[in-house]
Amino acid sequence: MLVKRVLYYSYEKLLEKEVKKGKLPLHVGLILDGNRRYAKEMGYNDITIGHIEGARKLDDVLKWCAELDIKIVTIWVLSTENIQRDRGEVEALLKVIEDKIDELSNNQIVKRNGFKIHALGKIEMLPDRLQDVIKKAEKLTRNNNNHILNIAVGYGGREEIVEAVKEAIRCKKFENIEEVANNITSDDITAHLYTCGIPDPDLIIRTSGEVRLSGFLLWQSAYSEFYFCDALWPAFRKIDFLRAIRSYQHRNRRFGK
C-alpha cells in the first residue's frame, strides 16, 4: 500500500510538471456526475451521502484550479430535470447544495484564492432558503477578483437559450415577425445568456463515464473541448483532473476554421 501511494504521488507530480509547461484553459466547465452511483458502490443505504461526498470534492478541485491559475470554473450541481426526481431525494439534494453554498461563502480556499461566486439558472424556482444562501454567497464574494466560480443550479441549457431569445426580442422594437426573424443575431442571444460577459469554456469535463453534455452550456460549448472521465465525481482524483488538462493541451483547437 505504501509503495502504491509513493508511485501515485510521483506520477501525480510528474504529470503536474508536464501540464504546467503547456497552455492552460482559461475556463473549465465540470459536470459533476456519479454521486448516486458512488453511494451505491460504497454500500451506503442513503444516497444523500454520495451527494455530501461530492460536495466535499469541490474543495479539492477548486484548489487544483487555483494551483494552475485556471481563472473560471463552472460547475453543474442541479439541472431542471433533477428537480423532477423523487421528492425526498430532491429535498435532500437541495439541502446539500444549500449547505455547501453557505459554506463556500466563508471557505478558506475561496477566500485565499479570491473566487467570486455567481449562480446560473432559474434561481427563482429554487426554495427561498436556497435563494437566500445564493444571494449571501454572491454578496460576500463580490469583491473577489482572482477567479470566478459559476454554480449552475436549477439550470437547463435549452431553457437558457429560450430565455435569452425572449430577452433579445424584448430589447428590440419590431413591427412584425419578419423583422424579428431578420434582425435577431447570435450576438443578441449571447448578450442575454446567464454567462454574459464571461468567456466560453475552453474545456468541459464530465465524470462517471457518461459521454454526453445533457444540456450543459449548450450555446457556450460550441467550440469547447470535451473530456469524459470514468471516475465517479466523489472519487475524482487530481490525476484524473491533470489528465483532462493534458488531453486538452494535446488538441488542435480550430474554432470551426
Side-chain angles (χ1 to χ4, degrees):
M1 192 67 179
L2 177 59
V3 173
K4 185 177 180 179
R5 285 202 299 269
V6 170
L7 289 173
Y8 176 90
Y9 179 80
S10 299
Y11 175 60
E12 178 189 298
K13 290 302 173 184
L14 285 171
L15 191 54
E16 185 173 11
K17 186 177 180 180
E18 177 186 348
V19 162
K20 284 183 175 179
K21 292 179 181 178
K23 182 177 174 60
L24 293 163
L26 172 69
H27 182 178
V28 171
L30 290 151
I31 302 174
L32 319 183
D33 196 17
N35 291 339
R36 295 196 296 175
R37 272 176 283 166
Y38 176 83
K40 291 174 182 177
E41 287 187 9
M42 297 299 290
Y44 298 128
N45 292 324
D46 183 1
I47 61 172
T48 304
I49 297 175
H51 296 308
I52 293 171
E53 291 298 317
R56 289 175 181 159
K57 176 56 60 177
L58 179 59
D59 286 7
D60 292 334
V61 175
L62 291 180
K63 182 180 177 182
W64 302 337
C65 288
E67 288 172 351
L68 295 178
D69 201 28
I70 293 169
K71 293 297 185 182
I72 307 167
V73 183
T74 300
I75 60 170
W76 195 11
V77 300
L78 181 75
S79 71
T80 49
E81 288 80 10
N82 290 156
I83 297 174
Q84 300 171 19
R85 289 178 178 174
D86 174 78
R87 181 177 177 181
E89 181 186 348
V90 171
E91 289 178 352
L93 174 55
L94 287 169
K95 184 63 170 64
V96 172
I97 294 171
E98 178 188 321
D99 290 346
K100 184 59 184 179
I101 294 178
D102 193 32
E103 185 268 331
L104 285 171
S105 299
N106 293 291
N107 182 290
Q108 287 305 306
I109 295 172
V110 169
K111 283 186 172 182
R112 192 182 314 121
N113 296 289
F115 277 95
K116 179 185 294 184
I117 294 173
H118 176 56
L120 313 176
K122 301 192 76 171
I123 309 302
E124 69 279 1
M125 72 184 291
L126 301 173
D128 291 342
R129 285 182 57 181
L130 179 51
Q131 290 187 47
D132 290 342
V133 164
I134 288 170
K135 291 174 185 175
K136 174 187 170 185
E138 291 182 330
K139 182 178 180 180
L140 289 175
T141 63
R142 65 186 175 189
N143 294 322
N144 293 348
N145 295 312
N146 291 338
H147 301 271
I148 296 172
L149 171 59
N150 295 315
I151 303 175
V153 53
Y155 173 86
R158 289 179 175 177
E159 290 85 351
E160 178 183 24
I161 295 170
V162 169
E163 290 302 315
V165 172
K166 288 179 180 178
E167 285 302 314
I169 293 171
R170 290 189 187 108
C171 287
K172 293 189 176 184
K173 293 182 180 179
F174 297 108
E175 295 295 330
N176 53 56
I177 192 65
E178 190 65 25
E179 279 195 35
V180 173
N182 290 334
N183 289 281
I184 291 295
T185 68
S186 61
D187 287 342
D188 293 328
I189 296 170
T190 298
H192 295 283
L193 296 172
Y194 299 137
T195 56
C196 177
I198 298 172
D200 291 341
D202 301 295
L203 171 66
I204 293 177
I205 302 169
R206 180 169 186 156
T207 57
S208 87
E210 300 293 344
V211 185
R212 59 177 180 271
L213 286 181
S214 299
F216 182 59
L217 300 180
L218 287 176
W219 185 277
Q220 300 90 330
S221 64
Y223 299 112
S224 301
E225 299 296 329
F226 304 108
Y227 185 86
F228 300 99
C229 173
D230 288 334
L232 303 176
W233 171 247
F236 189 61
R237 306 166 300 169
K238 189 173 184 179
I239 279 180
D240 299 316
F241 179 69
L242 292 171
R243 283 172 173 165
I245 302 298
R246 182 179 62 181
S247 175
Y248 163 82
Q249 291 174 334
H250 288 173
R251 300 180 193 181
N252 178 24
R253 302 190 72 199
R254 294 181 296 175
F255 299 95
K257 297 177 182 177

